[in-house]
Amino acid sequence: MGEAVQRRFSVMTAVVAALGLTATLSGCGGESGSGDVTLKLVAADYGTSSANSSEKYWSGVAAGFEKQNPGIKVEVNVLSWKDVDRKVAEMVKAGKAPDIAQIGAYADYAKDGKLYSADQMISIPTQANFLPSLTDAGKVDGTLYGLPFVASTRLLFYNEKLFDQAGLDAPETWDDIQKDATALKAKGVTTPFALPLGPEESQAETLMWLLSNSGGYVDDVGLYDIDSAQNIATFSWLRDNLVGKGLTGPVAPGKLDREKAFEAFTKGEVGMLNGHPTLMEEAEAKGIKVGMVPLPGAEGPTKGSMGVADWMMGFKQNGNRQAIGKFFDYAYSDENVLAFADEYDLLPVTGSASAEMETDAKHAKLREFLAALPNSQLPPFGKTSWATVSESIKTNIGEAVAPGGSPERVLGAIAAEATRAENAE
């Protein structure tokens, strides 16, 4: 993947340079006139303590930017992930929108005309450097408003020690998962396969399973297709072949949150689960030898992967378009992108930084995740209805795999709510 990314980026950069467009777009002039500008930036905290708070990262980026751009100051406000989306929504509602926000959702603000589009802010080289699979998810009505910030993909993790003790090979199909989980249960493993369909992040776990059977949340033209035949078949299989056979541990999937599942994996209590790079680091730090493979599918390994991204956006309210664009161009330098990815075991969102990470030996363990990112499929972030649909999935999907549960009924109810949310736009 690295060579292809590098070729694409090099060609695009050469074309841009030849056209004399390496500077910011001519249409990106500020609307606030001359004089000093103070940009207000609100960002999410990815840290787990004061020692690795994102406050340190953003303060460093702001200081470096201010040094290169006299007359522009950056006021940094880093908030907990539990609060940041709500706080930004409150600021916008009160007419006090930040200039820049790094949060989890952008579509509502874009639909309401509150955001600058990417081509109004950032230089063409910066735009061209984003990975296409991520920018596709950052668009509303074909226009890029949500700039991808950091990304992650998911792979199937398995505990190599437990697999070795049971004489097992890594699974490649759903049938392999069932057989391996059955063998792990016979060896006394508490949770042969952890299936977190609780309210914390079940919309992501759900999408991984849907993709493994050529399904998903939307069809080829972007319309919701939640209760498709493939999706119903996927959850019927989970109900009958994992949950129904007692292979998902003592906590019902509908009550199991991702954080608890990950914690159990780091304690050696879980044989298999879907995981991301941060879990890999945490597990290995506690002595768990982690095996990783693409998510097994109904017939073989899943060709695509589920991707996850967070977003940056520029608000129009204060008219600081030019200054916002300059900040984004600076923030998306390889040095800054890689520094954040390194700190939190996440993946860069630009082609050049991805290529650099892939060739760096210290990131060898992330290469499988990097390879999966360009072909990953993200949830439909560009739909303003997605927040409502996502919440419905988190609340209800666990019922689809419960004993006696009806995937057809549960997915049908979620699909109906999605239709109502779409029609209400």
Side-chain angles (χ1 to χ4, degrees), residues 133-197:
S133 61
L134 302 179
T135 53
D136 286 347
K139 294 177 180 178
V140 173
D141 297 332
T143 300
L144 181 63
Y145 291 97
L147 308 183
F149 177 59
V150 286
S152 178
T153 54
R154 304 293 167 88
L155 297 171
L156 179 80
F157 285 20
Y158 62 95
N159 184 313
E160 289 193 356
K161 180 180 178 180
L162 296 180
F163 266 60
D164 289 344
Q165 290 173 346
L168 302 173
D169 294 323
E172 295 183 355
T173 66
W174 285 358
D175 286 344
D176 292 341
I177 288 179
Q178 181 193 4
K179 292 173 183 176
D180 291 348
T182 300
L184 292 169
K185 183 179 181 180
K187 288 288 185 178
V189 176
T190 304
T191 304
F193 195 104
L195 185 65
L197 295 177

Side-chain angles (χ1 to χ4, degrees), residues 25-93:
L25 291 175
S26 60
C28 293
E31 295 158 343
S32 55
S34 58
D36 291 347
V37 173
T38 297
L39 296 178
K40 295 183 179 180
L41 181 152
V42 177
D45 193 353
Y46 289 69
T48 55
S49 67
S50 58
N52 68 344
S53 170
S54 300
E55 178 83 35
K56 294 182 179 179
Y57 171 81
W58 285 115
S59 294
V61 171
F65 174 75
E66 290 172 354
K67 186 174 181 181
Q68 289 190 14
N69 295 273
I72 305 177
K73 301 296 183 184
V74 182
E75 181 182 295
V76 174
N77 184 13
V78 174
L79 302 172
S80 164
W81 260 120
K82 295 180 180 180
D83 302 322
V84 67
D85 281 1
R86 175 177 55 82
K87 290 287 189 181
V88 169
E90 290 173 353
M91 293 175 192
V92 173
K93 186 176 181 179

Side-chain angles (χ1 to χ4, degrees), residues 299-310:
E299 305 296 334
T302 304
K303 293 181 180 179
S305 171
M306 188 200 74
V308 178
D310 296 319

